Amino acid sequence: MFELLITGGHVIDGTGGPAQRMDVGVIGDKITAVGDLRLETSAKRIDATGLVVCPGFIDMHAHSDLVPFVDPAHETKVRQGVTLEVIGQDGLSYAPADDVTLEILKLQLRGWNTTPDDLDWNWRSVGEYLDRIDSASTSTNYAYLVPHGTVRLLVMGPENRIADDAEIAEMRSQVAQGLADGAVGLSTGLTYTPAVYADLRELDALAAVTAQYGGYFTPHIRSYGRDALEAYEEAIGIAKRTGVAVHFAHAALSFPINEGRAPELLKLIDSAAADGADISMDSYPYTAGATYLYALLPSWCLSGGPADTLTLLTDRSQRSRLRTAMEVTGSDGFQGVAADWNTVVVAGVANSEHEVFVGRTITEIAALLGLQPFDAFIEVLIRDELGSSCVLHIGIEANLQTIMRHPKQMVGSDGILVGSRPHPRGWGTFPRVLGRYARELGVLSIEQAIHKMTGLPAARLGLANRGIVHSGNVADLVCFDPDRISDTATFDDPRRYPTGIAHVVVNGSPVIEDDLLTGRMPGTVVRRSY
């Protein structure tokens, strides 16, 4: 007898193949049969008549690193059908670390993650952090990337300098240990401190050890603006020299200077693949980006950590140099492009006293404060002690759609879930791909879209037993109405749940049933074995 039987649905299995009328039988956390099972008995039955049944969605780029401890139900993602998130992104997370490193990260990442005062930060290694997630009750599964910036911070501190041989050796050791602890790969963030200070010698060394373990390397590249194609080429060079598989984080070409250049990027990727490089990417279905606000500053003023940065910002003698970098030459934090303050919207603040800034562009805040936009930007950073997050309206729809069509493109939300008005991608990414880009615009077929969210990312993660509806695989499943599935989250009202997703099953246990949370917490850490 099956413990769970899903009947009457049309299965799209995650391989890219067409829908088939089949039932899915589950025992424990495994799919044990797929076919005509209508006459079989079961302890529990879900009627999926009129629904698509497919594998649970895999968020290839998530910033939910503290969610297991502060929001274990994680309704934000399970209501999208997400059953597995890949965290440790952009080279910045909370392990491996020591006491000093954790204190710096708590400040630096306030614009990405809620950091409650009563949280017990009782881990130091990657293994201890993953064990801590496993010991928490969670509704979703998690996979982890060793974060390069965090490793560098642990080994070298926040200084702007080149690593020496001994430091590179120690970083290699830390990456190797993280991979041995079950991480799926290595991430970096080459516009974020301290990874921004790394040279190719350092990156090659860490990518090489990742390749030795069979993990993949996912770079947030050095520029998505003025020097974007050169930045993609740099990462492709790392793949060619080290043999590491490269997966580009939130692949995009942004700002007006890159209008129509997506085919050039895909030509680079296809050429590298033809030469034997293993290249893939993820992206989200929105033209706006998001990050913490002080990431837009030039990297030269971030060396020393957040406290030193605040001191520099209050130093009036630095204002002229900063203004030139931000508004004339273009800072590396703003992707080498002169800042257009009309595109930068404050999404959240750490101190509620400054809530008046939320939802306003820097230009609008400048008018409110009676300042020039650059001075208003600095004022927000100082008043909120670098705790503000932002949304950046810098993307290009034609580039987005061109990249989305590429067969090696997958889906990642890059969802930042903090602030009063965060980016809606945290609540709408996966239904938006299926509703807007597949059903309405026809950029993808529904089978292609599901493949990009399930079987394709599972293969990149090296998870042979997830991502496809097949007997013996883990029972991560979603049942949705293909005619109704839609995102409803907007930039003005981002915390709205999608429509059309009726049932979500994680590790064989329903966490959403008939559109309602069940309260079950079957999630676990998905460790990769090398």
Side-chain angles (χ1 to χ4, degrees):
M1 184 174 72
F2 295 111
E3 294 177 15
L4 173 65
L5 189 56
I6 302 174
T7 62
H10 282 78
V11 172
I12 299 179
D13 66 4
T15 65
Q20 300 182 64
R21 223 302 302 153
M22 293 192 295
D23 311 313
V24 181
V26 175
I27 298 176
D29 66 349
K30 296 291 196 300
I31 299 169
T32 55
V34 181
D36 187 350
L37 308 174
R38 286 172 290 181
L39 301 181
E40 301 293 334
T41 58
S42 62
K44 183 176 185 60
R45 188 178 292 247
I46 290 176
D47 181 2
T49 302
L51 304 179
V52 166
V53 180
C54 70
F57 303 142
I58 298 173
D59 190 341
M60 285 296 287
H61 192 106
H63 288 285
S64 304
D65 302 62
L66 299 179
V67 165
F69 317 128
V70 301
D71 181 23
H74 206 14
E75 197 169 359
T76 302
K77 288 297 178 68
V78 295
R79 283 203 174 275
Q80 292 185 61
V82 172
T83 59
L84 171 60
E85 295 188 282
V86 186
I87 56 176
Q89 298 286 348
D90 296 325
L92 290 167
S93 189
Y94 302 96
D98 57 16
D99 292 351
V100 173
T101 303
L102 275 176
E103 290 307 311
I104 294 172
L105 290 166
K106 288 178 195 178
L107 287 173
Q108 182 168 350
L109 301 182
R110 285 189 302 167
W112 282 0
N113 296 291
T114 300
T115 52
D117 294 335
D118 59 351
L119 180 61
D120 183 3
W121 301 77
N122 63 348
W123 64 84
R124 293 299 178 266
S125 70
V126 169
E128 290 169 347
Y129 171 67
L130 299 183
D131 287 344
R132 176 67 185 280
I133 294 176
D134 255 342
S135 68
S137 294
T138 65
S139 65
T140 50
N141 299 310
Y142 294 92
Y144 191 65
L145 295 159
V146 181
H148 166 221
T150 298
V151 168
R152 196 180 210 270
L153 192 62
L154 175 64
V155 173
M156 300 177 59
E159 292 84 6
N160 178 1
R161 61 182 179 84
I162 301 301
D164 62 29
D165 289 346
E167 289 164 337
I168 289 177
E170 177 59 23
M171 283 190 273
R172 280 175 58 91
S173 177
Q174 291 287 346
V175 171
Q177 186 59 57
L179 293 166
D181 286 343
V184 294
L186 171 72
S187 76
T188 193
L190 297 176
T191 66
Y192 294 121
T193 56
V196 66
Y197 307 131
D199 63 1
L200 280 177
R201 179 167 152 273
E202 177 181 330
L203 295 173
D204 280 356
L206 301 186
V209 73
T210 305
Q212 290 169 14
Y213 275 80
Y216 70 96
F217 175 50
T218 180
H220 166 124
I221 58 173
R222 292 194 192 273
S223 174
Y224 293 87
R226 184 184 63 199
D227 302 316
L229 291 177
E230 292 80 1
Y232 281 108
E233 284 186 296
E234 178 186 64
I236 289 171
I238 294 170
K240 290 180 175 180
R241 287 189 298 274
T242 67
V244 75
V246 167
H247 178 85
F248 288 115
H250 39 59
L253 287 166
S254 301
F255 303 95
I257 57 172
N258 286 315
E259 184 84 39
R261 301 193 73 187
E264 296 178 56
L265 167 61
L266 301 184
K267 184 177 179 180
L268 282 176
I269 290 171
D270 291 341
S271 176
D275 290 340
D278 184 356
I279 311 288
S280 60
M281 62 195 129
D282 64 65
S283 58
Y284 47 81
Y286 299 85
T287 55
T291 188
Y292 50 89
L293 186 63
Y294 86 95
L296 307 186
L297 290 166
S299 60
W300 56 259
C301 70
L302 302 178
S303 179
D308 286 2
T309 297
L310 271 174
T311 299
L312 184 146
L313 293 180
T314 58
D315 182 355
R316 288 275 172 182
S317 68
Q318 297 289 336
R319 288 293 175 91
S320 177
R321 183 186 178 195
L322 267 172
R323 189 188 304 272
T324 299
M326 295 294 298
E327 296 189 331
V328 180
T329 60
S331 79
D332 47 3
F334 212 85
Q335 315 300 312
V337 176
D340 177 354
W341 300 114
N342 293 306
T343 66
V344 182
V345 179
V346 174
V349 291
N351 188 333
S352 59
E353 293 180 7
H354 310 309
E355 197 69 28
V356 66
F357 298 147
V358 174
R360 299 177 189 265
T361 66
I362 296 297
T363 302
E364 291 167 339
I365 293 170
L368 185 71
L369 299 177
L371 299 172
Q372 291 298 310
F374 167 78
D375 297 303
F377 167 69
I378 300 298
E379 188 68 18
V380 172
L381 293 176
I382 292 171
R383 290 193 190 186
D384 204 35
E385 297 181 309
L386 307 183
S388 306
S389 57
C390 65
V391 169
L392 307 166
H393 292 276
I394 56 174
I396 300 165
E397 179 69 22
N399 284 350
L400 181 159
Q401 293 190 24
T402 299
I403 291 169
M404 184 181 287
R405 289 187 182 97
H406 192 275
K408 289 291 188 177
Q409 183 267 357
M410 307 172 200
V411 180
S413 72
D414 199 9
I416 295 171
L417 309 178
V418 301
S420 299
R421 203 174 294 186
H423 196 302
R425 66 193 184 191
W427 285 259
T429 288
F430 293 84
R432 184 174 175 85
V433 170
L434 290 165
R436 175 171 170 76
Y437 286 93
R439 184 182 65 238
E440 296 174 9
L441 298 180
V443 175
L444 304 170
S445 70
I446 190 170
E447 292 86 359
Q448 287 173 324
I450 288 172
H451 178 56
K452 288 170 175 289
M453 300 176 179
T454 59
L456 191 60
R460 170 52 81 210
L461 295 171
L463 305 176
N465 64 344
R466 292 180 189 266
I468 296 174
V469 180
H470 187 273
S471 182
N473 282 0
V474 175
D476 290 342
L477 299 162
V478 177
C479 305
F480 69 88
D481 184 338
D483 297 323
R484 292 184 56 244
I485 190 167
S486 296
D487 62 307
T488 67
T490 66
F491 287 98
D492 290 332
D493 191 5
R495 286 188 168 84
R496 295 176 61 185
Y497 298 124
T499 60
I501 297 177
H503 310 282
V504 180
V505 177
V506 177
N507 298 328
S509 182
V511 296
I512 300 284
E513 193 172 343
D514 295 322
D515 297 317
L516 298 174
L517 286 176
T518 65
R520 294 175 182 171
M521 300 288 175
T524 188
V525 172
V526 177
R527 290 173 171 85
R528 182 161 179 184
S529 298
Y530 297 101

